[in-house]
């Protein structure tokens, strides 16, 4: 199973960006689809979760600014980043996960997001 994240790039603080993650198999078989990020010198962290019933959850630092969504027909998960901040600069990855957060698939290459002030 492959994970292909895209949509990253250079964005100004306060702007907007939408990330996409295409999965090479049906995503409705996974309890949750997550977005993660890894900033330079830091550990990878969970950013947002969406479950099969559409429930979402976010880390505090992005809640109200980021929106995760899914299109099962396209096997794609999205992350809309509104009003990004410099501290959102990172490589963003997606993965499938169990309800207790264990990732299920091999990591893809991710997509770099760089926020400029």
């Amino acid at each position: 199973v492959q994970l292909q994240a895209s949509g990253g790039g250079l964005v100004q603080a306060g702007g907007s960006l939408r990330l996409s993650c295409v999965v090479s198999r049906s995503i409705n078989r996974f309890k949750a689809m997550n977005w993660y990020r890894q900033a330079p010198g830091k550990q990878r962290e969970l950013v947002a979760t969406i479950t099969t019933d559409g429930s979402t959850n976010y880390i505090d630092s992005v809640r109200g600014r980021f929106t995760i969504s899914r299109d099962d027909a396209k096997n794609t998960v999205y992350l809309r980043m509104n009003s990004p901040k410099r501290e959102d600069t990172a490589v963003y990855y997606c993965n499938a996960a169990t309800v207790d957060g264990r990732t299920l698939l091999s990591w893809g290459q991710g997509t770099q997001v760089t926020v400029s002030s």
Side-chain angles (χ1 to χ4, degrees):
V1 180
Q2 291 185 330
L3 300 164
Q4 184 65 52
S6 63
L10 180 63
V11 60
Q12 283 194 327
S16 182
L17 202 63
R18 190 181 79 159
L19 309 182
S20 300
C21 175
V22 179
V23 186
S24 62
R25 71 185 308 178
S26 176
I27 63 172
N28 61 17
R29 64 185 291 127
F30 302 117
K31 293 293 186 183
M33 293 297 301
N34 296 343
W35 279 98
Y36 303 79
R37 66 186 180 188
Q38 186 168 20
K42 295 187 177 181
Q43 290 189 334
R44 187 176 293 164
E45 66 172 345
L46 175 63
V47 175
T49 297
I50 186 166
T51 61
T52 49
D53 65 0
S55 298
T56 58
N57 197 23
Y58 304 89
I59 57 174
D60 288 344
S61 62
V62 309
R63 187 174 291 113
R65 299 187 297 118
F66 290 10
T67 302
I68 188 171
S69 60
R70 60 192 289 161
D71 185 338
D72 287 7
K74 296 181 179 180
N75 294 328
T76 301
V77 184
Y78 303 98
L79 186 69
R80 167 68 69 179
M81 303 172 61
N82 290 333
S83 300
K85 304 176 181 179
R86 288 196 66 181
E87 51 263 42
D88 295 321
T89 294
V91 179
Y92 284 72
Y93 304 86
C94 67
N95 210 323
T98 61
V99 292
D100 59 357
R102 181 169 56 89
T103 56
L104 296 171
L105 304 174
S106 297
W107 294 100
Q109 291 191 340
T111 187
Q112 173 72 48
V113 174
T114 302
V115 184
S116 63
S117 58

PDB file of all heavy atoms in Angstrom, residues 39-68:
ATOM      1  N   ALA A  39       8.883  18.555  11.993  1.00  0.00           N
ATOM      2  CA  ALA A  39       9.681  19.744  11.782  1.00  0.00           C
ATOM      3  C   ALA A  39      11.154  19.382  11.967  1.00  0.00           C
ATOM      4  O   ALA A  39      11.478  18.395  12.625  1.00  0.00           O
ATOM      5  CB  ALA A  39       9.259  20.825  12.776  1.00  0.00           C
ATOM      6  N   PRO A  40      12.049  20.171  11.412  1.00  0.00           N
ATOM      7  CA  PRO A  40      13.477  19.892  11.533  1.00  0.00           C
ATOM      8  C   PRO A  40      13.897  19.766  12.997  1.00  0.00           C
ATOM      9  O   PRO A  40      13.572  20.614  13.824  1.00  0.00           O
ATOM     10  CB  PRO A  40      14.129  21.104  10.879  1.00  0.00           C
ATOM     11  CG  PRO A  40      13.115  21.602   9.912  1.00  0.00           C
ATOM     12  CD  PRO A  40      11.791  21.352  10.564  1.00  0.00           C
ATOM     13  N   GLY A  41      14.591  18.692  13.304  1.00  0.00           N
ATOM     14  CA  GLY A  41      15.092  18.491  14.653  1.00  0.00           C
ATOM     15  C   GLY A  41      14.057  18.045  15.660  1.00  0.00           C
ATOM     16  O   GLY A  41      14.354  17.943  16.857  1.00  0.00           O
ATOM     17  N   LYS A  42      12.847  17.774  15.203  1.00  0.00           N
ATOM     18  CA  LYS A  42      11.769  17.372  16.120  1.00  0.00           C
ATOM     19  C   LYS A  42      11.212  16.009  15.722  1.00  0.00           C
ATOM     20  O   LYS A  42      11.403  15.548  14.597  1.00  0.00           O
ATOM     21  CB  LYS A  42      10.655  18.406  16.129  1.00  0.00           C
ATOM     22  CG  LYS A  42      11.079  19.759  16.673  1.00  0.00           C
ATOM     23  CD  LYS A  42       9.879  20.688  16.818  1.00  0.00           C
ATOM     24  CE  LYS A  42      10.290  22.010  17.423  1.00  0.00           C
ATOM     25  NZ  LYS A  42       9.115  22.919  17.589  1.00  0.00           N
ATOM     26  N   GLN A  43      10.526  15.394  16.648  1.00  0.00           N
ATOM     27  CA  GLN A  43       9.889  14.119  16.368  1.00  0.00           C
ATOM     28  C   GLN A  43       8.607  14.331  15.562  1.00  0.00           C
ATOM     29  O   GLN A  43       7.994  15.404  15.608  1.00  0.00           O
ATOM     30  CB  GLN A  43       9.565  13.386  17.669  1.00  0.00           C
ATOM     31  CG  GLN A  43      10.787  12.868  18.407  1.00  0.00           C
ATOM     32  CD  GLN A  43      10.403  11.963  19.561  1.00  0.00           C
ATOM     33  OE1 GLN A  43       9.319  12.065  20.121  1.00  0.00           O
ATOM     34  NE2 GLN A  43      11.294  11.041  19.904  1.00  0.00           N
ATOM     35  N   ARG A  44       8.251  13.308  14.843  1.00  0.00           N
ATOM     36  CA  ARG A  44       6.985  13.355  14.111  1.00  0.00           C
ATOM     37  C   ARG A  44       5.828  13.413  15.097  1.00  0.00           C
ATOM     38  O   ARG A  44       5.833  12.719  16.124  1.00  0.00           O
ATOM     39  CB  ARG A  44       6.855  12.119  13.227  1.00  0.00           C
ATOM     40  CG  ARG A  44       5.674  12.120  12.292  1.00  0.00           C
ATOM     41  CD  ARG A  44       5.726  10.871  11.417  1.00  0.00           C
ATOM     42  NE  ARG A  44       6.867  10.926  10.510  1.00  0.00           N
ATOM     43  CZ  ARG A  44       7.341   9.871   9.852  1.00  0.00           C
ATOM     44  NH1 ARG A  44       6.774   8.688  10.017  1.00  0.00           N
ATOM     45  NH2 ARG A  44       8.363   9.985   9.043  1.00  0.00           N
ATOM     46  N   GLU A  45       4.848  14.263  14.807  1.00  0.00           N
ATOM     47  CA  GLU A  45       3.705  14.393  15.698  1.00  0.00           C
ATOM     48  C   GLU A  45       2.403  14.256  14.929  1.00  0.00           C
ATOM     49  O   GLU A  45       2.311  14.623  13.752  1.00  0.00           O
ATOM     50  CB  GLU A  45       3.726  15.747  16.427  1.00  0.00           C
ATOM     51  CG  GLU A  45       3.546  16.956  15.540  1.00  0.00           C
ATOM     52  CD  GLU A  45       3.390  18.256  16.324  1.00  0.00           C
ATOM     53  OE1 GLU A  45       3.135  18.207  17.547  1.00  0.00           O
ATOM     54  OE2 GLU A  45       3.517  19.321  15.694  1.00  0.00           O
ATOM     55  N   LEU A  46       1.411  13.751  15.617  1.00  0.00           N
ATOM     56  CA  LEU A  46       0.067  13.646  15.062  1.00  0.00           C
ATOM     57  C   LEU A  46      -0.568  15.026  15.031  1.00  0.00           C
ATOM     58  O   LEU A  46      -0.520  15.757  16.015  1.00  0.00           O
ATOM     59  CB  LEU A  46      -0.772  12.691  15.908  1.00  0.00           C
ATOM     60  CG  LEU A  46      -2.247  12.541  15.557  1.00  0.00           C
ATOM     61  CD1 LEU A  46      -2.420  11.955  14.166  1.00  0.00           C
ATOM     62  CD2 LEU A  46      -2.943  11.661  16.599  1.00  0.00           C
ATOM     63  N   VAL A  47      -1.171  15.385  13.897  1.00  0.00           N
ATOM     64  CA  VAL A  47      -1.784  16.700  13.745  1.00  0.00           C
ATOM     65  C   VAL A  47      -3.302  16.618  13.748  1.00  0.00           C
ATOM     66  O   VAL A  47      -3.961  17.401  14.423  1.00  0.00           O
ATOM     67  CB  VAL A  47      -1.309  17.360  12.430  1.00  0.00           C
ATOM     68  CG1 VAL A  47      -2.046  18.685  12.187  1.00  0.00           C
ATOM     69  CG2 VAL A  47       0.195  17.573  12.444  1.00  0.00           C
ATOM     70  N   ALA A  48      -3.841  15.679  12.978  1.00  0.00           N
ATOM     71  CA  ALA A  48      -5.297  15.611  12.833  1.00  0.00           C
ATOM     72  C   ALA A  48      -5.715  14.180  12.521  1.00  0.00           C
ATOM     73  O   ALA A  48      -4.963  13.424  11.899  1.00  0.00           O
ATOM     74  CB  ALA A  48      -5.780  16.549  11.733  1.00  0.00           C
ATOM     75  N   THR A  49      -6.938  13.845  12.947  1.00  0.00           N
ATOM     76  CA  THR A  49      -7.502  12.513  12.755  1.00  0.00           C
ATOM     77  C   THR A  49      -8.909  12.629  12.207  1.00  0.00           C
ATOM     78  O   THR A  49      -9.673  13.514  12.611  1.00  0.00           O
ATOM     79  CB  THR A  49      -7.556  11.756  14.092  1.00  0.00           C
ATOM     80  OG1 THR A  49      -6.236  11.565  14.577  1.00  0.00           O
ATOM     81  CG2 THR A  49      -8.234  10.404  13.927  1.00  0.00           C
ATOM     82  N   ILE A  50      -9.250  11.716  11.292  1.00  0.00           N
ATOM     83  CA  ILE A  50     -10.633  11.582  10.861  1.00  0.00           C
ATOM     84  C   ILE A  50     -10.971  10.104  10.838  1.00  0.00           C
ATOM     85  O   ILE A  50     -10.208   9.286  10.318  1.00  0.00           O
ATOM     86  CB  ILE A  50     -10.888  12.253   9.491  1.00  0.00           C
ATOM     87  CG1 ILE A  50     -12.382  12.211   9.152  1.00  0.00           C
ATOM     88  CG2 ILE A  50     -10.041  11.635   8.381  1.00  0.00           C
ATOM     89  CD1 ILE A  50     -12.772  13.142   8.002  1.00  0.00           C
ATOM     90  N   THR A  51     -12.095   9.754  11.441  1.00  0.00           N
ATOM     91  CA  THR A  51     -12.505   8.356  11.515  1.00  0.00           C
ATOM     92  C   THR A  51     -13.470   8.015  10.383  1.00  0.00           C
ATOM     93  O   THR A  51     -13.888   8.869   9.614  1.00  0.00           O
ATOM     94  CB  THR A  51     -13.168   8.060  12.868  1.00  0.00           C
ATOM     95  OG1 THR A  51     -14.334   8.883  13.002  1.00  0.00           O
ATOM     96  CG2 THR A  51     -12.205   8.355  14.009  1.00  0.00           C
ATOM     97  N   THR A  52     -13.848   6.749  10.327  1.00  0.00           N
ATOM     98  CA  THR A  52     -14.730   6.302   9.253  1.00  0.00           C
ATOM     99  C   THR A  52     -16.102   6.959   9.319  1.00  0.00           C
ATOM    100  O   THR A  52     -16.764   7.118   8.296  1.00  0.00           O
ATOM    101  CB  THR A  52     -14.904   4.783   9.292  1.00  0.00           C
ATOM    102  OG1 THR A  52     -15.235   4.373  10.616  1.00  0.00           O
ATOM    103  CG2 THR A  52     -13.611   4.079   8.868  1.00  0.00           C
ATOM    104  N   ASP A  53     -16.532   7.377  10.524  1.00  0.00           N
ATOM    105  CA  ASP A  53     -17.836   8.034  10.632  1.00  0.00           C
ATOM    106  C   ASP A  53     -17.741   9.545  10.483  1.00  0.00           C
ATOM    107  O   ASP A  53     -18.722  10.261  10.667  1.00  0.00           O
ATOM    108  CB  ASP A  53     -18.515   7.683  11.952  1.00  0.00           C
ATOM    109  CG  ASP A  53     -17.771   8.209  13.167  1.00  0.00           C
ATOM    110  OD1 ASP A  53     -16.715   8.849  12.990  1.00  0.00           O
ATOM    111  OD2 ASP A  53     -18.228   7.968  14.298  1.00  0.00           O
ATOM    112  N   GLY A  54     -16.538  10.031  10.166  1.00  0.00           N
ATOM    113  CA  GLY A  54     -16.360  11.451   9.919  1.00  0.00           C
ATOM    114  C   GLY A  54     -15.990  12.281  11.130  1.00  0.00           C
ATOM    115  O   GLY A  54     -15.819  13.501  11.024  1.00  0.00           O
ATOM    116  N   SER A  55     -15.852  11.666  12.272  1.00  0.00           N
ATOM    117  CA  SER A  55     -15.430  12.404  13.463  1.00  0.00           C
ATOM    118  C   SER A  55     -13.986  12.864  13.284  1.00  0.00           C
ATOM    119  O   SER A  55     -13.164  12.159  12.708  1.00  0.00           O
ATOM    120  CB  SER A  55     -15.533  11.510  14.698  1.00  0.00           C
ATOM    121  OG  SER A  55     -16.857  11.113  14.909  1.00  0.00           O
ATOM    122  N   THR A  56     -13.715  14.062  13.781  1.00  0.00           N
ATOM    123  CA  THR A  56     -12.372  14.632  13.622  1.00  0.00           C
ATOM    124  C   THR A  56     -11.795  15.044  14.964  1.00  0.00           C
ATOM    125  O   THR A  56     -12.533  15.316  15.924  1.00  0.00           O
ATOM    126  CB  THR A  56     -12.401  15.847  12.682  1.00  0.00           C
ATOM    127  OG1 THR A  56     -13.306  16.835  13.223  1.00  0.00           O
ATOM    128  CG2 THR A  56     -12.864  15.455  11.288  1.00  0.00           C
ATOM    129  N   ASN A  57     -10.485  15.127  15.000  1.00  0.00           N
ATOM    130  CA  ASN A  57      -9.799  15.605  16.183  1.00  0.00           C
ATOM    131  C   ASN A  57      -8.499  16.266  15.748  1.00  0.00           C
ATOM    132  O   ASN A  57      -7.923  15.879  14.712  1.00  0.00           O
ATOM    133  CB  ASN A  57      -9.519  14.453  17.158  1.00  0.00           C
ATOM    134  CG  ASN A  57      -9.198  14.967  18.542  1.00  0.00           C
ATOM    135  OD1 ASN A  57      -9.578  16.084  18.905  1.00  0.00           O
ATOM    136  ND2 ASN A  57      -8.476  14.174  19.318  1.00  0.00           N
ATOM    137  N   TYR A  58      -8.073  17.248  16.523  1.00  0.00           N
ATOM    138  CA  TYR A  58      -6.887  18.027  16.170  1.00  0.00           C
ATOM    139  C   TYR A  58      -6.039  18.293  17.408  1.00  0.00           C
ATOM    140  O   TYR A  58      -6.542  18.334  18.534  1.00  0.00           O
ATOM    141  CB  TYR A  58      -7.302  19.386  15.581  1.00  0.00           C
ATOM    142  CG  TYR A  58      -8.218  19.296  14.389  1.00  0.00           C
ATOM    143  CD1 TYR A  58      -9.599  19.258  14.554  1.00  0.00           C
ATOM    144  CD2 TYR A  58      -7.709  19.245  13.097  1.00  0.00           C
ATOM    145  CE1 TYR A  58     -10.445  19.165  13.460  1.00  0.00           C
ATOM    146  CE2 TYR A  58      -8.551  19.161  11.989  1.00  0.00           C
ATOM    147  CZ  TYR A  58      -9.914  19.119  12.187  1.00  0.00           C
ATOM    148  OH  TYR A  58     -10.753  19.023  11.093  1.00  0.00           O
ATOM    149  N   ILE A  59      -4.766  18.522  17.176  1.00  0.00           N
ATOM    150  CA  ILE A  59      -3.956  18.997  18.269  1.00  0.00           C
ATOM    151  C   ILE A  59      -4.329  20.459  18.517  1.00  0.00           C
ATOM    152  O   ILE A  59      -4.824  21.165  17.633  1.00  0.00           O
ATOM    153  CB  ILE A  59      -2.443  18.854  17.986  1.00  0.00           C
ATOM    154  CG1 ILE A  59      -2.044  19.598  16.707  1.00  0.00           C
ATOM    155  CG2 ILE A  59      -2.068  17.386  17.905  1.00  0.00           C
ATOM    156  CD1 ILE A  59      -0.543  19.618  16.463  1.00  0.00           C
ATOM    157  N   ASP A  60      -4.074  20.898  19.732  1.00  0.00           N
ATOM    158  CA  ASP A  60      -4.530  22.227  20.137  1.00  0.00           C
ATOM    159  C   ASP A  60      -3.966  23.342  19.252  1.00  0.00           C
ATOM    160  O   ASP A  60      -4.659  24.325  18.969  1.00  0.00           O
ATOM    161  CB  ASP A  60      -4.139  22.497  21.593  1.00  0.00           C
ATOM    162  CG  ASP A  60      -4.956  21.678  22.568  1.00  0.00           C
ATOM    163  OD1 ASP A  60      -6.011  21.140  22.161  1.00  0.00           O
ATOM    164  OD2 ASP A  60      -4.541  21.572  23.739  1.00  0.00           O
ATOM    165  N   SER A  61      -2.744  23.182  18.821  1.00  0.00           N
ATOM    166  CA  SER A  61      -2.077  24.268  18.098  1.00  0.00           C
ATOM    167  C   SER A  61      -2.657  24.514  16.701  1.00  0.00           C
ATOM    168  O   SER A  61      -2.409  25.576  16.125  1.00  0.00           O
ATOM    169  CB  SER A  61      -0.576  23.991  17.996  1.00  0.00           C
ATOM    170  OG  SER A  61      -0.330  22.803  17.267  1.00  0.00           O
ATOM    171  N   VAL A  62      -3.430  23.561  16.161  1.00  0.00           N
ATOM    172  CA  VAL A  62      -3.996  23.755  14.824  1.00  0.00           C
ATOM    173  C   VAL A  62      -5.517  23.800  14.846  1.00  0.00           C
ATOM    174  O   VAL A  62      -6.132  24.132  13.826  1.00  0.00           O
ATOM    175  CB  VAL A  62      -3.525  22.664  13.833  1.00  0.00           C
ATOM    176  CG1 VAL A  62      -2.012  22.534  13.851  1.00  0.00           C
ATOM    177  CG2 VAL A  62      -4.188  21.314  14.115  1.00  0.00           C
ATOM    178  N   ARG A  63      -6.107  23.477  15.978  1.00  0.00           N
ATOM    179  CA  ARG A  63      -7.574  23.446  16.044  1.00  0.00           C
ATOM    180  C   ARG A  63      -8.134  24.822  15.709  1.00  0.00           C
ATOM    181  O   ARG A  63      -7.672  25.839  16.215  1.00  0.00           O
ATOM    182  CB  ARG A  63      -8.030  22.998  17.426  1.00  0.00           C
ATOM    183  CG  ARG A  63      -9.543  22.791  17.512  1.00  0.00           C
ATOM    184  CD  ARG A  63      -9.955  22.195  18.860  1.00  0.00           C
ATOM    185  NE  ARG A  63      -9.509  20.828  18.992  1.00  0.00           N
ATOM    186  CZ  ARG A  63      -8.577  20.429  19.868  1.00  0.00           C
ATOM    187  NH1 ARG A  63      -8.021  21.309  20.665  1.00  0.00           N
ATOM    188  NH2 ARG A  63      -8.227  19.163  19.943  1.00  0.00           N
ATOM    189  N   GLY A  64      -9.131  24.839  14.837  1.00  0.00           N
ATOM    190  CA  GLY A  64      -9.722  26.094  14.404  1.00  0.00           C
ATOM    191  C   GLY A  64      -9.065  26.680  13.165  1.00  0.00           C
ATOM    192  O   GLY A  64      -9.617  27.575  12.527  1.00  0.00           O
ATOM    193  N   ARG A  65      -7.895  26.172  12.798  1.00  0.00           N
ATOM    194  CA  ARG A  65      -7.206  26.641  11.599  1.00  0.00           C
ATOM    195  C   ARG A  65      -7.097  25.559  10.518  1.00  0.00           C
ATOM    196  O   ARG A  65      -7.179  25.881   9.334  1.00  0.00           O
ATOM    197  CB  ARG A  65      -5.781  27.120  11.962  1.00  0.00           C
ATOM    198  CG  ARG A  65      -5.743  28.274  12.940  1.00  0.00           C
ATOM    199  CD  ARG A  65      -4.319  28.803  13.121  1.00  0.00           C
ATOM    200  NE  ARG A  65      -3.415  27.805  13.694  1.00  0.00           N
ATOM    201  CZ  ARG A  65      -2.341  27.325  13.078  1.00  0.00           C
ATOM    202  NH1 ARG A  65      -2.040  27.735  11.863  1.00  0.00           N
ATOM    203  NH2 ARG A  65      -1.559  26.435  13.678  1.00  0.00           N
ATOM    204  N   PHE A  66      -6.921  24.332  10.939  1.00  0.00           N
ATOM    205  CA  PHE A  66      -6.778  23.219   9.992  1.00  0.00           C
ATOM    206  C   PHE A  66      -8.079  22.412   9.960  1.00  0.00           C
ATOM    207  O   PHE A  66      -8.774  22.296  10.974  1.00  0.00           O
ATOM    208  CB  PHE A  66      -5.643  22.294  10.408  1.00  0.00           C
ATOM    209  CG  PHE A  66      -4.261  22.866  10.258  1.00  0.00           C
ATOM    210  CD1 PHE A  66      -4.051  24.211   9.962  1.00  0.00           C
ATOM    211  CD2 PHE A  66      -3.154  22.035  10.424  1.00  0.00           C
ATOM    212  CE1 PHE A  66      -2.776  24.719   9.838  1.00  0.00           C
ATOM    213  CE2 PHE A  66      -1.873  22.539  10.289  1.00  0.00           C
ATOM    214  CZ  PHE A  66      -1.681  23.888  10.004  1.00  0.00           C
ATOM    215  N   THR A  67      -8.365  21.848   8.796  1.00  0.00           N
ATOM    216  CA  THR A  67      -9.534  20.987   8.647  1.00  0.00           C
ATOM    217  C   THR A  67      -9.148  19.723   7.893  1.00  0.00           C
ATOM    218  O   THR A  67      -8.613  19.802   6.775  1.00  0.00           O
ATOM    219  CB  THR A  67     -10.660  21.699   7.876  1.00  0.00           C
ATOM    220  OG1 THR A  67     -11.021  22.906   8.564  1.00  0.00           O
ATOM    221  CG2 THR A  67     -11.888  20.797   7.774  1.00  0.00           C
ATOM    222  N   ILE A  68      -9.405  18.573   8.504  1.00  0.00           N
ATOM    223  CA  ILE A  68      -9.158  17.299   7.846  1.00  0.00           C
ATOM    224  C   ILE A  68     -10.464  16.795   7.256  1.00  0.00           C
ATOM    225  O   ILE A  68     -11.539  16.971   7.845  1.00  0.00           O
ATOM    226  CB  ILE A  68      -8.558  16.266   8.839  1.00  0.00           C
ATOM    227  CG1 ILE A  68      -8.127  14.999   8.110  1.00  0.00           C
ATOM    228  CG2 ILE A  68      -9.523  15.979   9.979  1.00  0.00           C
ATOM    229  CD1 ILE A  68      -7.337  14.019   8.997  1.00  0.00           C
TER     230      ILE A  68
END
